[in-house]
Amino acid sequence: MEKTLFEKIWDKHVVKQIEDGPSVVYIDKHFIHEVTSPQAFSGIEKRGIQLFRPKQIVATADHNVPTMQQELPIKDALSKFQVDTLIENCKKHGVELYGLGHKYQGIVHVIGPELGITQPGMTIVCGDSHTSTHGAFGSIAFGIGTSEVEMVFAAQCIMQTKPKVMRINIDGALKNGVVSKDIILYIIAQISASGATGYFVEYAGSAIRALSMEARMTICNMSIEMGARGGMIAPDQTTFDYIKGRLFAPQAADWDHKLAEWSQLYTDADAKFDVEINIKAEDIDPMITYGTNPGMGLSVRGTLPTIESFTDATEKQNYEKALAYMGLTAGQSLLGMPVQNVFIGSCTNSRIEDFRLVASIIKGKQKDPNIKTLVVPGSQEVAKQIKAEGLDKIFAAAGVEIRQAGCSACLGMNEDKIPAGEYCISTSNRNFEGRQGAGARTLLASPLTAAAALLTGKITDIRDILN
Amino acid sequence: MQSLQKITSRFIPLRIENVDTDQIIPARFLKATTKDGFGKNLFRDWRYENDDETKPKADFVLNQQQYSGAILVAAKNFGCGSSREHAAWSIQDYGFKVVVSSFFADIFKNNALNNGVLPVTVSDAFLQQIFAQGAEETLSVDLEAQTITIDATGAEERFDINAYKKTCILNGYDDIDYLLNMKPEIEAFEKK
């Protein structure tokens, strides 16, 4: 039978199909971090059982960690306790930990791919909704809750109902100044923050094939922002070239064997999707969000919807609520509006290519004096590479400080927060109320659009700088 | 896990769409290492002015005296965003046993089920009928029959839940017991 990429991997991992119930799915790799794992460890201990396959788990500390002076003890007592609990749990249960101070530490969805742990054909879970990032390698990867983390600890399996499958084809060439972040913001704006709920999404088409692995990760990362269970892209030469030679990549004969296996990971020509969406790459402009969910996005040159365009009373009321929170007016344009903060980082856009993109724009220039910045690499390895390429000097010359690796202002669990009422152009993934700090107003955009705002102090079409 | 069979209760109407888990429980409260005590921070930033418990926001439904009960009724796409199970823990700890919406985000739905909080998906029309009821009216949810009823009008709708999860919630079983019993099958699968 003709199968989709998703079905090929899913079917291979189903241990048992419960009648009129979920499937029991085997998990190849399990990433954990300090925030969603402690209750799962105590659950296991309460049951008096051992971790079933501790060698298939990799841990890091990312959500809570400070991004300055990481060599010093964490100041926030609760954060420190949570990070210490992770250290203790990993030691007790034999789990590999790339914790604070370790050369491989970083955001869980940055380090997995970077170390070659993430590979095609795998099932990957983590107690974090942005686990969908790993789908860029042609794996089934998705976020789970803490009860499910405990399930994987106990039996290396979870219970899941098989999702429906959706394919989004993006064909053609991207316009100048448009990058993968704009593609995914465009898709979410088209289908809404709940448009893919219940589905696993495969991204395909010539515009996707032309992207680097890091750009593909940005797209898969935000699949959850339209409600999708996960997102994935069939592996190809770009994927194999990225993985080859990485720390945990298959070596020698094993590599050839794996490569043969991975080359079979594609959607068969006649396989059926429950939904298929076609997008022309040339329709996509640099994007920015204006509201309080990632579906509320538009071209940086666009205008906000009018109140009259909403017919449903609840939807209208929700739009007005979002406008009030954001301090914006229906029908207005965002171009030229002053912003006070720029955040470059998060599991969406904190990889070396993101830093190269920003550096290419700010090189030899000064940041706007009114802009406050939080620029945070995704991992120690990314930070090292920034230095190796001399990008740190470009940022320093522009008056921008580069911090240490962590989730930072994406969710403001550490000190890195945006002040109430201020705007922040953010390369992260969520513009929810209070996400970056109580009262903070988040505008999601690409690293290029963030770089443009760094220089001008306002919402700017990057093409005005490029041209 | 607590079991749940039937419940008749007043409900709290939350007429907001796309309620994300950052609103249900803001990230700053995720630093705990236990599952207890999240209820007091449920919808924290919608409930209080400037994070101050002495200043409840009068326009937020949890602060309105006339509303009470163990059933939360919310507009569509409830629980979107982060996978934090703390959202389900805070809803449960506050005292809710059932959440009703016309559409739930996937991860939240699983998290709720795994804690014995029953997500009940109803049609848009039925949701509007519930919202039209007064604060003193009650809803009845019968898991065995898979029905939700507006007691004042007798309007009833059937809801979906798979047979496996239904058995779990009716009896308070959890998935881990099931998986632990499957160990031999899982080991055999690994050898394939």
Side-chain angles (χ1 to χ4, degrees):
Chain A
M1 204 193 88
E2 302 281 282
K3 284 183 176 182
T4 63
L5 169 63
F6 175 81
E7 287 159 341
K8 284 182 181 176
I9 302 170
W10 177 271
D11 292 351
K12 243 186 125 173
H13 286 83
V14 173
V15 179
K16 181 181 179 177
Q17 177 60 52
I18 301 173
E19 209 188 319
D20 193 11
S23 308
V24 176
V25 180
Y26 190 81
I27 299 304
D28 295 317
K29 280 285 171 223
H30 184 196
F31 292 104
I32 62 169
H33 60 83
E34 76 276 20
V35 178
T36 57
S37 67
Q39 295 87 349
F41 276 114
S42 26
I44 289 292
E45 288 171 5
K46 250 181 244 159
R47 289 171 200 267
I49 55 173
Q50 302 290 313
L51 263 61
F52 184 52
R53 295 288 179 250
K55 299 283 173 257
Q56 284 166 243
I57 308 171
V58 175
T60 192
D62 55 5
H63 282 64
N64 261 303
V65 303
T67 55
M68 305 267 274
Q69 299 185 306
Q70 286 184 344
E71 59 287 357
L72 300 179
I74 301 175
K75 282 185 205 143
D76 181 304
L78 288 174
S79 294
K80 182 172 188 309
F81 185 69
Q82 207 171 44
V83 171
D84 289 346
T85 302
L86 180 71
I87 296 170
E88 200 181 301
N89 279 329
C90 288
K91 199 189 279 175
K92 209 183 329 175
H93 294 278
V95 173
E96 184 80 66
L97 169 66
Y98 301 137
L100 214 48
H102 194 285
K103 62 178 177 174
Y104 299 146
Q105 179 266 338
I107 305 177
V108 60
H109 311 308
V110 175
I111 68 168
E114 158 182 283
L115 297 172
I117 298 169
T118 301
Q119 294 170 17
M122 284 180 167
T123 46
I124 300 173
V125 293
C126 173
D128 187 284
S129 59
H130 294 110
T131 307
S132 57
T133 312
H134 307 263
F137 291 79
S139 58
I140 292 182
F142 53 89
I144 56 176
T146 297
S147 294
E148 291 166 315
V149 171
E150 193 179 332
M151 285 178 213
V152 186
F153 281 172
Q156 204 57 35
C157 287
I158 59 166
M159 306 256 203
Q160 285 285 306
T161 308
K162 189 177 176 180
K164 291 179 278 187
V165 282
M166 175 188 292
R167 180 159 63 186
I168 302 180
N169 303 296
I170 304 113
D171 282 295
L174 292 173
K175 289 193 282 207
N176 189 31
V178 176
V179 292
S180 69
K181 179 65 164 286
D182 300 307
I183 300 179
I184 189 65
L185 286 175
Y186 179 86
I187 295 171
I188 304 168
Q190 294 285 309
I191 74 170
S192 92
S194 58
T197 303
Y199 292 87
F200 216 96
V201 176
E202 180 178 345
Y203 303 95
S206 61
I208 296 292
R209 294 263 76 90
L211 296 175
S212 71
M213 283 316 296
E214 295 193 356
R216 293 179 190 183
M217 284 186 240
T218 300
I219 292 188
C220 290
N221 172 277
M222 289 190 71
S223 303
I224 182 72
E225 308 312 335
M226 49 188 176
R229 206 68 190 81
M232 66 200 312
I233 294 171
D236 58 12
Q237 198 56 45
T238 305
T239 321
F240 309 143
D241 291 345
Y242 178 96
I243 298 170
K244 195 164 189 179
R246 288 187 187 265
L247 189 64
F248 294 103
Q251 308 290 328
D254 192 27
W255 171 262
D256 296 332
H257 172 75
K258 284 286 182 196
L259 199 59
E261 209 180 286
W262 295 346
S263 304
Q264 300 307 308
L265 295 172
Y266 52 83
T267 289
D268 295 327
D270 292 326
K272 292 277 179 294
F273 287 86
D274 298 291
V275 173
E276 198 141 9
I277 294 171
N278 296 302
I279 287 168
K280 283 190 217 142
E282 55 268 29
D283 287 348
I284 307 173
D285 272 344
M287 296 287 292
I288 191 159
T289 65
Y290 57 85
T292 51
N293 75 57
M296 302 172 89
L298 44 70
S299 157
V300 71
R301 304 201 84 86
T303 51
L304 268 60
T306 58
I307 298 285
E308 299 72 48
S309 65
F310 292 86
T311 47
D312 180 275
T314 313
E315 278 177 19
K316 190 183 200 169
Q317 197 184 332
N318 281 293
Y319 180 51
E320 285 170 335
K321 186 176 188 294
L323 287 178
Y325 182 84
M326 293 299 292
L328 298 172
T329 313
Q332 80 164 94
S333 156
L334 294 177
L335 215 54
M337 189 180 89
V339 295
Q340 296 75 39
N341 302 272
V342 171
F343 170 53
I344 295 169
S346 88
C347 56
T348 314
N349 285 115
S350 64
R351 298 178 180 83
I352 190 64
E353 287 179 11
D354 299 313
F355 281 84
R356 287 182 194 141
L357 268 183
V358 175
S360 73
I361 302 300
I362 65 170
K363 190 174 184 175
K365 296 181 180 139
Q366 279 293 311
K367 81 166 181 77
D368 181 273
N370 297 319
I371 288 280
K372 292 172 280 185
T373 61
L374 281 163
V375 176
V376 187
S379 69
Q380 304 294 341
E381 288 275 299
V382 172
K384 199 169 101 187
Q385 188 64 22
I386 287 171
K387 285 206 178 101
E389 296 182 18
L391 303 180
D392 55 328
K393 295 197 178 66
I394 296 173
F395 280 84
V400 178
E401 176 188 40
I402 297 180
R403 292 174 162 244
Q404 292 168 298
C407 296
S408 183
C410 174
L411 81 168
M413 270 192 85
N414 68 354
E415 306 70 19
D416 305 349
K417 292 182 174 65
I418 307 303
E422 293 190 8
Y423 291 100
C424 178
I425 294 217
S426 178
T427 67
S428 57
N429 41 56
R430 288 191 175 131
N431 50 359
F432 297 152
E433 284 183 33
R435 172 82 178 179
Q436 297 194 289
R441 292 163 165 171
T442 305
L443 307 151
L444 301 175
S446 78
L448 281 180
T449 302
L454 251 183
L455 297 178
T456 62
K458 43 193 183 227
I459 298 173
T460 304
D461 187 338
I462 181 65
R463 293 168 296 190
D464 292 340
I465 292 179
L466 291 173
N467 295 337
Chain B
M1 199 172 83
Q2 288 267 314
S3 66
L4 176 74
Q5 292 89 26
K6 273 186 189 176
I7 180 171
T8 294
S9 168
R10 287 187 180 185
F11 63 96
I12 297 188
L14 182 66
R15 286 168 220 246
I16 302 175
E17 293 178 353
N18 302 310
V19 172
D20 60 76
T21 54
D22 273 86
Q23 307 317 315
I24 299 173
I25 184 85
R28 61 184 185 279
F29 300 112
L30 307 188
K31 296 183 186 188
T33 52
T34 68
K35 297 180 183 181
D36 311 321
F38 284 100
K40 70 177 181 346
N41 296 319
L42 174 69
F43 294 116
R44 179 84 187 191
D45 293 335
W46 283 349
R47 253 162 100 183
Y48 303 114
E49 218 53 85
N50 301 321
D51 206 12
D52 184 347
E53 282 174 42
T54 64
K55 291 182 190 154
K57 293 182 182 175
D59 64 348
F60 189 60
V61 70
L62 289 195
N63 297 328
Q64 294 170 345
Q65 298 280 319
Q66 69 268 37
Y67 295 112
S68 62
I71 301 176
L72 178 67
V73 182
K76 73 178 177 204
N77 199 25
F78 186 81
C80 60
S82 152
S83 62
R84 60 188 71 165
E85 195 160 316
H86 313 67
W89 299 335
S90 58
I91 284 171
Q92 184 173 48
D93 188 52
Y94 187 87
F96 292 115
K97 296 189 183 314
V98 174
V99 185
V100 180
S101 178
S102 55
F103 196 89
F104 286 96
D106 279 338
I107 306 181
F108 174 80
K109 194 173 179 179
N110 277 344
N111 287 342
L113 287 167
N114 285 335
N115 287 280
V117 173
L118 182 66
V120 173
T121 307
V122 297
S123 66
D124 280 321
F126 196 78
L127 188 70
Q128 293 315 320
Q129 285 182 46
I130 299 176
F131 281 143
Q133 302 302 309
E136 67 290 349
E137 304 301 344
T138 58
L139 302 175
S140 290
V141 174
D142 181 340
L143 178 55
E144 184 57 53
Q146 293 178 227
T147 55
I148 174 165
T149 311
I150 301 172
D151 297 318
T153 64
E156 183 181 287
E157 198 167 88
R158 203 181 142 75
F159 62 87
D160 281 338
I161 182 169
N162 71 54
Y164 167 82
K165 265 296 166 198
K166 181 173 166 179
T167 308
C168 285
I169 297 206
L170 283 172
N171 300 290
Y173 298 157
D174 78 15
D175 289 349
I176 295 176
D177 297 329
Y178 189 96
L179 289 174
L180 290 173
N181 285 325
M182 269 188 66
K183 278 275 180 70
E185 282 170 80
I186 296 168
E187 279 166 350
F189 177 88
E190 285 178 319
K191 294 200 182 84
K192 271 205 293 193

